[in-house]
Every structure is written in C-alpha cells, then in structure tokens.
Amino acid sequence: MSILIKNGRVIDPANKIDAILDIFIQDDKISRVAKDIQTQAETIIDAGNKIVAPGIVDMHAHLREPGREDKETIASATAAAAKGGVTTVLAMPNTQPAMDCSKSVELLQGIINKDAKINVRICGTLTKGRLGQELSDIAALKKIGARALSDDGCSVDNDALMLEALKQAKLAGLLVICHCEDKKLSQKGVINLGFNSTRLGLRGISNESEYKRVSRDIELAEKCGASVHIAHVSCGESVDIIAAAKKKKIKVTCETAPHYFSLTQDALLEYDTNMKMNPPLRSKEDLAAIKQGLKDGTIDAIASDHAPHTENEKDIEFERAEFGVVGLETELSAGITELINQQILDWPELIQKFCLNPARILGIDRGSLTAGSFADVVIISDQLSWTVNKSTLVSKSKNSPFLGRCLKGLVDYTICNGTIAYQR
Ligand code: DOR
Ligand code: ZN
C-alpha cells in the first residue's frame, strides 16, 4: 500500500513544519515529507488548498463498550472518530464492567482488535469499580497494556487513597487523569451555579466543586512527584491554579473540551438536555478564561469528552437526564470555528493541542508526521462549512450540543496506520 498526498499545507508542530509539501506513505508509515515528491503510488490525493496534519489524538472519550452497546460500540465510536479526523482515542474506563482488572482490559482489547477502525488505547481505573474504596491492581493494569488511569466520572474523595494511587501510578509509569469534582460541593447539581440555576429552578454546580479538587490533586502529585493530568477544565479558577502549579514546575498537564470554549450556561435557558454535561457549561467569563488558557499554553490539550447517551436517557426531564455530550465528529470543526477563526490560536497551535500534546502527555509515538512514524494523517477543507444534524452523525447517539449549528472545516480524509479510515 502506498499513498501520495500532493500540495497540501502540511502542518506538523513536532517538526516545526508549516509549508506546502507532499507526503509519501508506504505501508503503515510516513516515508517522506518533502516538496514535489516524484514517485509512483497506488493512491494519489490532491490536497491543494487543504490542510494536512497528523491525525487527532483524543485523550478523553467514552466508547461505552463493553456494557452499553445501545449508546455506542467500538465499531460505531471509531467510525465517528475517523469522520472527525481522530486516529487515536483513549477509551475511558467507566464501562460495564469497569476497566479495573486484567480480565476486563483483555475483553475490551479483544473487541478493539476485531472492530476498531482507528487506534484505541485503554485507560484503566484508579479504584476497583470506580468506587473510590480500594485501589485497582495498578501494576497488573500496566502489564496488560493500560495507557493511563482514571476514575473519570468520579473523583477519589479519600486523600490518603488518592496519594497512594499516585505513588503506585508513578512506580508503574502511568499517567493519572483526574476528574476533579468534590461531590460534597456539587451534590445533585445539574447546571452551573449562578443566576441561571436560580432562574430555572435547577440545582447548581459551583466552580468551587471543581477547582478545590484541582488544587488537592495537584498538591498530592507534588507531594509524591507523580504526573497528573486534569480532565475537562471548565472554569477560570482551575486555569489559574494549573498555571501557578506549572510555574512551580509541578508535573501537571490539562485538557479542556470544545463545549467549554464554544458555549456558556446561557445555552441551557431552554432546558436543552444536549447542553447538560459534567462539569457544566459555565459563565462567559469562564469561557474567556478557557480561551486565554489555551492561548497562553496553560491548557495543553483539547479532548472531546465524547459521552454518548440514548434518546431515552436524554429526552426526559432535565434533572433526570444523563450528563454528557457526543463530540468526536465535531471537535475539530468547533476548534476551527471558535479558536482559529476568532484568532485565539493559529493552525500550528491548534494542531499541537489536538495531536502532538496529547500524544506526548500519554507517552505514545503519535501526533507527528515524522518520517518513519505511523502514518496517521488528516486532510481538512478548512474553508468549507457544515451544519451539524442528527441524520449525518455517525455515532450511535445523537446528543450533540452543536445540533443545528454551522461549523467551519470538514475532514476530507482520515488515514490511520497508512490506511484510509474515512473519506468524505
Ligand atoms: O458529562 C459527563 N459524562 N461527564 C463525565 O464525567 C462522565 C461522562 C459520561 O460517562 O457520561
Ligand atoms: Zn469523561
């Protein structure tokens, strides 16, 4: 198999490349990146006027299999991912069963080997059953191939247990991904705490419930020298705390999700459950702080936090609806619309947050176009627009917060390990 991509604007932050170049792919690897490559190839793609970048490394997605195949499967999620330009995804462990032991990880790995259209890496749990009571066998999870550890959806409330988890993760060489939420503070909240929650008569989730836990997790990481990654940062105070920790050289990285830089709590005024996620959409000041954090480098990565739910679980009273939104198919376009077009980030910076930084954080050899590396490439028509609607979403679940919105940028090709995984 060989693919020659001609005349695209190749953006590869790992190699400081932003130029009109050709890329030659042979089998599963990038063979050459150069001007005007003259060679035979089985497939030739004209990428004139298009962006050519490494495939997206989405370090936070809920793929639901095993256990909730009615919401999503490895097959449907990875098809959605390929359509969104994603070539590697980290599967969050809140499946049924949870990814808390070798047996479960093996089960999932078997499904991935059979059904996945892109690279799927597995995140194990920090605690058994994600119950925050007893640590998972972290060494065994590492041995079986888990890439990181998280109780995502929950935070480990017990400080001593979290410290022990961080110590063991450090020993195993695994990254800990923190869902930062103090449920004593956020309890039963369904939207951001503020004027809107009062006006709508809904219980609020304070910024404090997030940033206090961000502070604690960073403190514990500092204490034992472990690396922590803060998931789905949604508020300004969290950004400030992470910036201060980075200044102190504490090993902390973080991500945000597209909805936090695209939408505010005002999107909830119609009780739209597709705007309900945890953490919640915040104030416009928080949104500005997220954008600033992306711009100044405090926020390292953008991840979808893809969280599919069925219509039965979403099309009900607001309080009872599940938290979460799908995002694999819209993340890149949301980034182009909100960050490139509003001049918050330039193209190399955007690609760095979607591809290179998450790959580096996870310690995987992806996210670049270096010759010799795996050929994970996305080709994007950045000038085209599309309107998000249920019928064109490939994901099994349709709970997108962007339904009806016009977004900029369409993926033309997603190439994963040298094979075309998606073509528009
Ligand atoms: O909105 C969310 N949905 N936040 C989480 O932390 C978990 C996720 C899910 O699994 O549905
Ligand atoms: Zn999550």
Side-chain angles (χ1 to χ4, degrees):
M1 251 304 268
S2 58
I3 303 174
L4 180 60
I5 305 168
K6 297 287 296 173
N7 294 318
R9 176 179 168 191
V10 175
I11 298 175
D12 180 20
N15 294 297
K16 301 203 162 41
I17 291 173
D18 179 1
I20 308 295
L21 295 169
D22 296 351
I23 299 181
F24 183 53
I25 296 168
Q26 212 162 12
D27 301 320
D28 59 347
K29 302 275 166 59
I30 305 267
S31 171
R32 278 179 75 200
V33 180
K35 243 193 169 68
D36 204 17
I37 298 175
Q38 298 294 338
T39 183
Q40 302 286 330
E42 281 152 78
T43 306
I44 297 177
I45 299 171
D46 174 14
N49 296 318
K50 297 183 199 295
I51 304 273
V52 181
I56 292 174
V57 177
D58 185 339
M59 65 182 299
H60 193 141
H62 301 270
L63 309 187
R64 304 302 191 207
E65 196 173 5
R68 287 306 304 268
E69 293 80 358
D70 54 331
K71 296 179 198 253
E72 196 81 285
T73 60
I74 293 298
S76 64
T78 55
K83 186 162 181 253
V86 178
T87 50
T88 299
V89 73
L90 184 70
M92 283 291 132
N94 60 338
T95 44
Q96 295 167 10
M99 292 299 126
D100 62 0
C101 64
S102 307
K103 210 171 137 224
S104 298
V105 173
E106 255 171 336
L107 167 73
L108 175 53
Q109 190 61 56
I111 302 167
I112 292 165
N113 294 346
K114 187 165 61 67
D115 292 344
K117 292 164 185 69
I118 60 151
N119 308 308
V120 180
R121 307 306 296 258
I122 300 169
C123 184
T125 68
L126 284 166
T127 68
K128 288 187 179 155
R130 296 171 51 253
L131 295 171
Q133 302 293 327
E134 202 184 329
L135 290 188
S136 307
D137 186 341
I138 290 175
L141 288 171
K142 164 77 180 185
K143 200 162 164 224
I144 201 79
R147 236 3 298 171
L149 299 169
S150 180
D151 272 3
D152 186 50
C154 299
S155 174
V156 178
D157 290 328
N158 182 322
D159 296 351
L161 193 69
M162 186 62 178
L163 183 61
E164 187 55 31
L166 285 162
K167 284 181 182 168
Q168 289 196 21
K170 187 188 170 199
L171 261 178
L174 287 174
L175 176 73
V176 173
I177 299 177
C178 304
H179 171 109
C180 290
E181 177 184 7
D182 183 338
K183 283 199 167 132
K184 284 201 293 296
L185 295 172
S186 66
Q187 233 187 24
K188 302 218 172 77
V190 289
I191 69 166
N192 188 42
L193 178 75
F195 180 68
N196 283 10
S197 61
T198 307
R199 181 166 159 196
L200 298 173
L202 296 170
R203 274 178 205 261
I205 301 172
S206 62
N207 286 11
E208 203 179 14
S209 66
E210 175 178 311
Y211 72 76
K212 283 212 158 159
R213 196 46 64 91
V214 171
S215 273
R216 186 208 66 168
D217 285 347
I218 290 175
E219 236 170 74
L220 293 177
E222 184 184 20
K223 209 174 211 167
C224 66
S227 302
V228 277
H229 177 81
I230 310 297
H232 41 58
V233 171
S234 74
C235 67
E237 294 93 332
S238 298
V239 177
D240 292 342
I241 289 163
I242 293 162
K246 285 186 165 188
K247 239 187 179 156
K248 282 176 68 185
K249 305 278 178 233
I250 299 169
K251 288 185 266 175
V252 57
T253 54
C254 70
E255 85 208 9
T256 191
H259 33 278
Y260 303 119
F261 60 70
S262 307
L263 298 158
T264 70
Q265 56 187 352
D266 286 350
L268 289 141
L269 289 171
E270 306 290 325
Y271 296 92
D272 182 352
T273 57
N274 285 337
M275 302 292 174
K276 179 180 177 182
M277 76 290 286
N278 187 20
L281 296 176
R282 304 283 191 186
S283 68
K284 63 177 190 304
E285 290 77 19
D286 288 309
L287 181 143
I290 296 293
K291 283 186 165 165
Q292 182 54 36
L294 283 162
K295 199 178 174 72
D296 68 25
T298 303
I299 300 177
D300 304 274
I302 301 169
S304 64
D305 199 4
H306 181 77
H309 293 294
T310 64
E311 209 144 293
N312 286 338
E313 296 165 319
K314 275 294 197 183
D315 205 5
I316 52 175
E317 302 92 301
F318 196 90
E319 278 113 321
R320 289 177 52 230
E322 291 279 1
F323 287 101
V325 295
V326 291
L328 288 167
E329 293 169 73
T330 48
E331 57 185 313
L332 177 62
S333 297
I336 296 170
T337 308
E338 297 293 333
L339 302 175
I340 299 270
N341 285 7
Q342 294 183 26
Q343 292 169 355
I344 308 293
L345 300 180
D346 60 24
W347 268 102
E349 289 167 337
L350 186 80
I351 294 303
Q352 179 143 358
K353 308 248 184 227
F354 269 121
C355 312
L356 182 62
N357 288 353
R360 283 185 173 160
I361 292 166
L362 289 173
I364 57 174
D365 185 19
R366 304 276 168 178
S368 85
L369 299 172
T370 307
S373 63
F374 287 104
D376 291 352
V377 182
V378 60
I379 302 176
I380 309 156
S381 284
D382 61 313
Q383 295 307 320
L384 293 182
S385 303
W386 62 295
T387 300
V388 183
N389 74 57
K390 282 187 187 179
S391 64
T392 51
L393 289 177
V394 165
S395 171
K396 252 192 177 182
S397 296
K398 313 295 175 189
N399 51 308
S400 168
F402 296 108
L403 288 179
R405 286 243 320 215
C406 183
L407 299 178
K408 203 84 194 259
L410 264 174
V411 171
D412 289 305
Y413 287 91
T414 301
I415 297 167
C416 186
N417 296 309
T419 300
I420 295 173
Y422 168 78
Q423 181 177 356
R424 184 159 67 85

PDB file of all heavy atoms in Angstrom, residues 10-29:
ATOM      1  N   VAL A  10       1.008  21.438   4.828  1.00  0.00           N
ATOM      2  CA  VAL A  10       1.368  20.440   5.838  1.00  0.00           C
ATOM      3  C   VAL A  10       1.739  21.150   7.136  1.00  0.00           C
ATOM      4  O   VAL A  10       2.635  22.003   7.164  1.00  0.00           O
ATOM      5  CB  VAL A  10       2.534  19.556   5.342  1.00  0.00           C
ATOM      6  CG1 VAL A  10       2.996  18.604   6.435  1.00  0.00           C
ATOM      7  CG2 VAL A  10       2.110  18.782   4.092  1.00  0.00           C
ATOM      8  N   ILE A  11       1.019  20.780   8.194  1.00  0.00           N
ATOM      9  CA  ILE A  11       1.273  21.390   9.500  1.00  0.00           C
ATOM     10  C   ILE A  11       1.684  20.286  10.468  1.00  0.00           C
ATOM     11  O   ILE A  11       0.915  19.375  10.750  1.00  0.00           O
ATOM     12  CB  ILE A  11       0.021  22.137  10.001  1.00  0.00           C
ATOM     13  CG1 ILE A  11      -0.311  23.268   9.025  1.00  0.00           C
ATOM     14  CG2 ILE A  11       0.251  22.684  11.408  1.00  0.00           C
ATOM     15  CD1 ILE A  11      -1.586  23.996   9.325  1.00  0.00           C
ATOM     16  N   ASP A  12       2.915  20.376  10.922  1.00  0.00           N
ATOM     17  CA  ASP A  12       3.460  19.346  11.810  1.00  0.00           C
ATOM     18  C   ASP A  12       4.296  20.020  12.902  1.00  0.00           C
ATOM     19  O   ASP A  12       5.513  20.168  12.764  1.00  0.00           O
ATOM     20  CB  ASP A  12       4.310  18.367  10.978  1.00  0.00           C
ATOM     21  CG  ASP A  12       4.905  17.269  11.836  1.00  0.00           C
ATOM     22  OD1 ASP A  12       4.381  17.026  12.948  1.00  0.00           O
ATOM     23  OD2 ASP A  12       5.887  16.647  11.399  1.00  0.00           O
ATOM     24  N   PRO A  13       3.645  20.419  13.990  1.00  0.00           N
ATOM     25  CA  PRO A  13       4.357  21.166  15.037  1.00  0.00           C
ATOM     26  C   PRO A  13       5.579  20.427  15.590  1.00  0.00           C
ATOM     27  O   PRO A  13       6.562  21.066  15.967  1.00  0.00           O
ATOM     28  CB  PRO A  13       3.294  21.351  16.132  1.00  0.00           C
ATOM     29  CG  PRO A  13       1.983  21.214  15.431  1.00  0.00           C
ATOM     30  CD  PRO A  13       2.204  20.280  14.287  1.00  0.00           C
ATOM     31  N   ALA A  14       5.539  19.089  15.604  1.00  0.00           N
ATOM     32  CA  ALA A  14       6.689  18.339  16.155  1.00  0.00           C
ATOM     33  C   ALA A  14       7.961  18.665  15.388  1.00  0.00           C
ATOM     34  O   ALA A  14       9.056  18.664  15.956  1.00  0.00           O
ATOM     35  CB  ALA A  14       6.410  16.845  16.087  1.00  0.00           C
ATOM     36  N   ASN A  15       7.812  18.929  14.081  1.00  0.00           N
ATOM     37  CA  ASN A  15       8.989  19.213  13.253  1.00  0.00           C
ATOM     38  C   ASN A  15       9.004  20.665  12.779  1.00  0.00           C
ATOM     39  O   ASN A  15       9.730  21.001  11.851  1.00  0.00           O
ATOM     40  CB  ASN A  15       9.015  18.236  12.069  1.00  0.00           C
ATOM     41  CG  ASN A  15       9.229  16.813  12.531  1.00  0.00           C
ATOM     42  OD1 ASN A  15      10.257  16.489  13.107  1.00  0.00           O
ATOM     43  ND2 ASN A  15       8.234  15.960  12.344  1.00  0.00           N
ATOM     44  N   LYS A  16       8.196  21.485  13.440  1.00  0.00           N
ATOM     45  CA  LYS A  16       8.097  22.914  13.113  1.00  0.00           C
ATOM     46  C   LYS A  16       7.856  23.148  11.616  1.00  0.00           C
ATOM     47  O   LYS A  16       8.444  24.036  10.991  1.00  0.00           O
ATOM     48  CB  LYS A  16       9.354  23.666  13.578  1.00  0.00           C
ATOM     49  CG  LYS A  16       9.600  23.536  15.080  1.00  0.00           C
ATOM     50  CD  LYS A  16      10.434  24.666  15.625  1.00  0.00           C
ATOM     51  CE  LYS A  16      10.348  24.826  17.126  1.00  0.00           C
ATOM     52  NZ  LYS A  16      10.360  23.584  17.923  1.00  0.00           N
ATOM     53  N   ILE A  17       6.985  22.326  11.052  1.00  0.00           N
ATOM     54  CA  ILE A  17       6.674  22.454   9.630  1.00  0.00           C
ATOM     55  C   ILE A  17       5.322  23.112   9.431  1.00  0.00           C
ATOM     56  O   ILE A  17       4.336  22.746  10.081  1.00  0.00           O
ATOM     57  CB  ILE A  17       6.673  21.060   8.949  1.00  0.00           C
ATOM     58  CG1 ILE A  17       8.105  20.490   8.897  1.00  0.00           C
ATOM     59  CG2 ILE A  17       6.065  21.127   7.541  1.00  0.00           C
ATOM     60  CD1 ILE A  17       8.166  19.047   8.403  1.00  0.00           C
ATOM     61  N   ASP A  18       5.271  24.117   8.574  1.00  0.00           N
ATOM     62  CA  ASP A  18       4.023  24.712   8.102  1.00  0.00           C
ATOM     63  C   ASP A  18       4.319  25.222   6.692  1.00  0.00           C
ATOM     64  O   ASP A  18       4.750  26.354   6.508  1.00  0.00           O
ATOM     65  CB  ASP A  18       3.581  25.849   9.036  1.00  0.00           C
ATOM     66  CG  ASP A  18       2.283  26.501   8.556  1.00  0.00           C
ATOM     67  OD1 ASP A  18       1.726  26.075   7.521  1.00  0.00           O
ATOM     68  OD2 ASP A  18       1.821  27.456   9.223  1.00  0.00           O
ATOM     69  N   ALA A  19       4.127  24.339   5.709  1.00  0.00           N
ATOM     70  CA  ALA A  19       4.525  24.668   4.329  1.00  0.00           C
ATOM     71  C   ALA A  19       3.763  23.798   3.351  1.00  0.00           C
ATOM     72  O   ALA A  19       3.206  22.766   3.721  1.00  0.00           O
ATOM     73  CB  ALA A  19       6.033  24.437   4.173  1.00  0.00           C
ATOM     74  N   ILE A  20       3.756  24.217   2.087  1.00  0.00           N
ATOM     75  CA  ILE A  20       3.127  23.411   1.029  1.00  0.00           C
ATOM     76  C   ILE A  20       4.087  22.281   0.661  1.00  0.00           C
ATOM     77  O   ILE A  20       5.175  22.524   0.115  1.00  0.00           O
ATOM     78  CB  ILE A  20       2.818  24.277  -0.219  1.00  0.00           C
ATOM     79  CG1 ILE A  20       2.018  25.536   0.146  1.00  0.00           C
ATOM     80  CG2 ILE A  20       2.119  23.438  -1.300  1.00  0.00           C
ATOM     81  CD1 ILE A  20       0.632  25.288   0.695  1.00  0.00           C
ATOM     82  N   LEU A  21       3.685  21.060   0.975  1.00  0.00           N
ATOM     83  CA  LEU A  21       4.576  19.905   0.785  1.00  0.00           C
ATOM     84  C   LEU A  21       3.777  18.688   0.338  1.00  0.00           C
ATOM     85  O   LEU A  21       2.549  18.688   0.373  1.00  0.00           O
ATOM     86  CB  LEU A  21       5.280  19.567   2.116  1.00  0.00           C
ATOM     87  CG  LEU A  21       6.257  20.618   2.678  1.00  0.00           C
ATOM     88  CD1 LEU A  21       6.639  20.257   4.101  1.00  0.00           C
ATOM     89  CD2 LEU A  21       7.507  20.739   1.812  1.00  0.00           C
ATOM     90  N   ASP A  22       4.509  17.655  -0.047  1.00  0.00           N
ATOM     91  CA  ASP A  22       3.900  16.352  -0.340  1.00  0.00           C
ATOM     92  C   ASP A  22       4.268  15.382   0.793  1.00  0.00           C
ATOM     93  O   ASP A  22       5.286  15.554   1.454  1.00  0.00           O
ATOM     94  CB  ASP A  22       4.456  15.780  -1.650  1.00  0.00           C
ATOM     95  CG  ASP A  22       4.099  16.643  -2.855  1.00  0.00           C
ATOM     96  OD1 ASP A  22       3.284  17.579  -2.698  1.00  0.00           O
ATOM     97  OD2 ASP A  22       4.658  16.372  -3.944  1.00  0.00           O
ATOM     98  N   ILE A  23       3.412  14.381   0.950  1.00  0.00           N
ATOM     99  CA  ILE A  23       3.706  13.325   1.929  1.00  0.00           C
ATOM    100  C   ILE A  23       3.577  11.987   1.222  1.00  0.00           C
ATOM    101  O   ILE A  23       2.567  11.723   0.567  1.00  0.00           O
ATOM    102  CB  ILE A  23       2.739  13.375   3.125  1.00  0.00           C
ATOM    103  CG1 ILE A  23       2.865  14.710   3.866  1.00  0.00           C
ATOM    104  CG2 ILE A  23       2.994  12.199   4.078  1.00  0.00           C
ATOM    105  CD1 ILE A  23       1.952  14.824   5.076  1.00  0.00           C
ATOM    106  N   PHE A  24       4.604  11.164   1.375  1.00  0.00           N
ATOM    107  CA  PHE A  24       4.545   9.824   0.792  1.00  0.00           C
ATOM    108  C   PHE A  24       4.431   8.800   1.913  1.00  0.00           C
ATOM    109  O   PHE A  24       5.249   8.769   2.833  1.00  0.00           O
ATOM    110  CB  PHE A  24       5.792   9.562  -0.064  1.00  0.00           C
ATOM    111  CG  PHE A  24       5.764   8.226  -0.764  1.00  0.00           C
ATOM    112  CD1 PHE A  24       4.675   7.861  -1.557  1.00  0.00           C
ATOM    113  CD2 PHE A  24       6.804   7.321  -0.621  1.00  0.00           C
ATOM    114  CE1 PHE A  24       4.640   6.617  -2.200  1.00  0.00           C
ATOM    115  CE2 PHE A  24       6.779   6.086  -1.263  1.00  0.00           C
ATOM    116  CZ  PHE A  24       5.685   5.729  -2.051  1.00  0.00           C
ATOM    117  N   ILE A  25       3.362   8.004   1.824  1.00  0.00           N
ATOM    118  CA  ILE A  25       3.094   6.978   2.834  1.00  0.00           C
ATOM    119  C   ILE A  25       3.313   5.614   2.201  1.00  0.00           C
ATOM    120  O   ILE A  25       2.770   5.340   1.129  1.00  0.00           O
ATOM    121  CB  ILE A  25       1.636   7.090   3.336  1.00  0.00           C
ATOM    122  CG1 ILE A  25       1.421   8.429   4.050  1.00  0.00           C
ATOM    123  CG2 ILE A  25       1.274   5.920   4.248  1.00  0.00           C
ATOM    124  CD1 ILE A  25      -0.041   8.751   4.319  1.00  0.00           C
ATOM    125  N   GLN A  26       4.122   4.809   2.876  1.00  0.00           N
ATOM    126  CA  GLN A  26       4.322   3.454   2.373  1.00  0.00           C
ATOM    127  C   GLN A  26       3.956   2.473   3.492  1.00  0.00           C
ATOM    128  O   GLN A  26       4.472   2.591   4.607  1.00  0.00           O
ATOM    129  CB  GLN A  26       5.775   3.264   1.949  1.00  0.00           C
ATOM    130  CG  GLN A  26       5.880   2.313   0.803  1.00  0.00           C
ATOM    131  CD  GLN A  26       7.211   2.422   0.082  1.00  0.00           C
ATOM    132  OE1 GLN A  26       8.150   3.060   0.566  1.00  0.00           O
ATOM    133  NE2 GLN A  26       7.313   1.793  -1.058  1.00  0.00           N
ATOM    134  N   ASP A  27       3.066   1.548   3.161  1.00  0.00           N
ATOM    135  CA  ASP A  27       2.519   0.626   4.170  1.00  0.00           C
ATOM    136  C   ASP A  27       1.945   1.456   5.336  1.00  0.00           C
ATOM    137  O   ASP A  27       1.202   2.378   5.087  1.00  0.00           O
ATOM    138  CB  ASP A  27       3.565  -0.403   4.599  1.00  0.00           C
ATOM    139  CG  ASP A  27       4.030  -1.215   3.391  1.00  0.00           C
ATOM    140  OD1 ASP A  27       3.171  -1.550   2.550  1.00  0.00           O
ATOM    141  OD2 ASP A  27       5.238  -1.478   3.268  1.00  0.00           O
ATOM    142  N   ASP A  28       2.357   1.161   6.562  1.00  0.00           N
ATOM    143  CA  ASP A  28       1.727   1.884   7.676  1.00  0.00           C
ATOM    144  C   ASP A  28       2.541   3.078   8.163  1.00  0.00           C
ATOM    145  O   ASP A  28       2.202   3.688   9.169  1.00  0.00           O
ATOM    146  CB  ASP A  28       1.436   0.915   8.841  1.00  0.00           C
ATOM    147  CG  ASP A  28       2.697   0.235   9.356  1.00  0.00           C
ATOM    148  OD1 ASP A  28       3.747   0.317   8.681  1.00  0.00           O
ATOM    149  OD2 ASP A  28       2.633  -0.372  10.433  1.00  0.00           O
ATOM    150  N   LYS A  29       3.595   3.448   7.440  1.00  0.00           N
ATOM    151  CA  LYS A  29       4.487   4.503   7.932  1.00  0.00           C
ATOM    152  C   LYS A  29       4.575   5.711   6.990  1.00  0.00           C
ATOM    153  O   LYS A  29       4.383   5.582   5.780  1.00  0.00           O
ATOM    154  CB  LYS A  29       5.902   3.941   8.121  1.00  0.00           C
ATOM    155  CG  LYS A  29       5.998   2.753   9.069  1.00  0.00           C
ATOM    156  CD  LYS A  29       6.128   3.187  10.507  1.00  0.00           C
ATOM    157  CE  LYS A  29       5.892   2.049  11.489  1.00  0.00           C
ATOM    158  NZ  LYS A  29       6.824   0.927  11.291  1.00  0.00           N
TER     159      LYS A  29
END
